[in-house]
Amino acid sequence: MSEIKNMETLKQWLRESKHTVFLGGAGVSTASGIPDFRSAYGLYREKQQGISYEEMLSHRYFVEHRSEFYDFMRRVMLYPDAKPNPAHYALAKLEQEGKLDAVITQNIDGLHQMAGSKNVIELHGNENRYFCLSCGKTYDMSIVLGGAGVPKCTCGGTIRPDVVLYGEQLDQNNLVRAVEYVEQADLLLVGGTSLVVYPAAGLVNYLSRSAKLVLLNRDETPYDDHADLVFREDLSEVLAEATGL
């Protein structure tokens, strides 16, 4: 099927759908200057002093090397100046028009909300939320960017990011909500994700047989053969055109 016909089909499905859901990963935010993780150009190809970036984002590393963990966060993971790109705005537009039930994201950058999306399920948390391990007091990213070393609460407790680190379980309430939205969807858009990280990738398996699956990803995924449409083009451009942004 040609690219033009693919686009016309996607536009038609968006018009006809009663329950569209979007499931997205790091590729949604690359146009905002935030690198992805698992592609040929992703962060996980990098290492620091022989330690992989994935290891530095683990619960064990946070517990055993807190100062180094926060140095890594400041240098590599935090993008305080990042702004939403057309993909984020296109999804927010669909929701405002009553055509999108929910955004389910693996990203922690908060750009969907910044673009105007309201019903966002953050499977992996948010890099702009922090809390004290002792008293529970909450903070934003400025508590990390405003100093060096391990940020401390006014009570003296250690502050940690409200994100899911490797070795930790996802918030089960968020996961259950995500499953429910996918089960009810008649159109599932999956964008900017390799669909290899579970349990997020497994959400596709909850899609009903009568529903349509559209994949928008630069690289191949394990679900390409199951998709009704596959786009390899720039995600932000595809979504912007499909929604008339």
Side-chain angles (χ1 to χ4, degrees):
M1 189 179 294
S2 70
E3 292 178 13
I4 294 176
K5 193 163 185 179
N6 268 352
M7 178 57 66
E8 291 308 311
T9 301
L10 177 57
K11 288 179 179 179
Q12 179 182 343
W13 288 353
L14 285 170
R15 288 193 299 268
E16 296 173 349
S17 171
K18 302 299 182 184
H19 296 287
T20 298
V21 173
F22 180 82
L23 170 62
V28 177
S29 294
T30 53
S32 296
I34 301 176
D36 67 356
F37 290 85
R38 297 183 181 278
S39 75
Y41 310 98
L43 285 176
Y44 287 164
R45 292 175 57 85
E46 304 294 333
K47 289 189 176 183
Q48 175 181 294
Q49 297 178 346
I51 304 173
S52 71
Y53 281 10
E54 191 166 342
E55 169 64 17
M56 284 187 277
L57 286 175
S58 70
H59 175 77
R60 184 187 66 81
Y61 196 81
F62 171 75
V63 171
E64 297 178 0
H65 307 280
R66 284 180 178 166
S67 182
E68 292 88 346
F69 172 89
Y70 271 109
D71 288 344
F72 172 73
M73 288 285 289
R74 294 184 184 96
R75 192 183 70 259
V76 176
M77 295 303 300
L78 301 183
Y79 292 84
D81 298 324
K83 303 297 181 185
N85 64 60
H88 299 104
Y89 287 116
L91 293 167
K93 181 174 185 283
L94 283 176
E95 183 187 46
Q96 291 160 6
E97 293 172 347
K99 298 178 181 178
L100 183 69
D101 289 353
V103 168
I104 305 168
T105 181
Q106 300 173 70
N107 296 342
I108 61 173
D109 51 46
L111 294 181
H112 285 295
Q113 293 93 323
M114 195 182 299
S117 290
K118 303 299 183 184
N119 192 21
V120 181
I121 301 174
E122 296 176 313
L123 295 177
H124 297 156
N126 190 307
E127 67 180 15
N128 197 39
R129 294 195 303 262
Y130 297 78
F131 63 92
C132 174
L133 290 170
S134 297
C135 72
K137 184 177 179 180
T138 58
Y139 295 86
D140 61 24
M141 191 188 298
S142 63
I143 193 66
V144 178
L145 296 176
V150 181
K152 295 291 185 178
C153 178
T154 53
C155 78
T158 296
I159 291 171
R160 70 153 283 170
D162 188 9
V163 299
V164 179
L165 302 174
Y166 285 95
E168 298 178 333
Q169 288 191 338
L170 271 62
D171 182 292
Q172 291 304 298
N173 290 330
N174 283 338
L175 193 55
V176 168
R177 286 182 63 216
V179 167
E180 290 175 346
Y181 275 111
V182 173
E183 286 178 333
Q184 296 166 9
D186 55 29
L187 175 61
L188 178 63
L189 309 177
V190 180
T193 173
S194 57
L195 288 175
V196 297
V197 178
Y198 286 80
L203 289 170
V204 178
N205 296 323
Y206 290 93
L207 191 65
S208 71
R209 291 185 179 181
S210 61
K212 296 179 176 67
L213 173 62
V214 178
L215 298 183
L216 309 98
N217 198 55
R218 180 179 60 194
D219 303 318
E220 291 184 9
T221 80
Y223 289 85
D224 283 12
D225 291 340
H226 304 284
D228 298 284
L229 281 180
V230 176
F231 290 87
R232 293 275 182 255
E233 297 79 28
D234 182 273
L235 170 68
S236 61
E237 293 179 3
V238 172
L239 287 176
E241 182 176 351
T243 58
L245 191 66

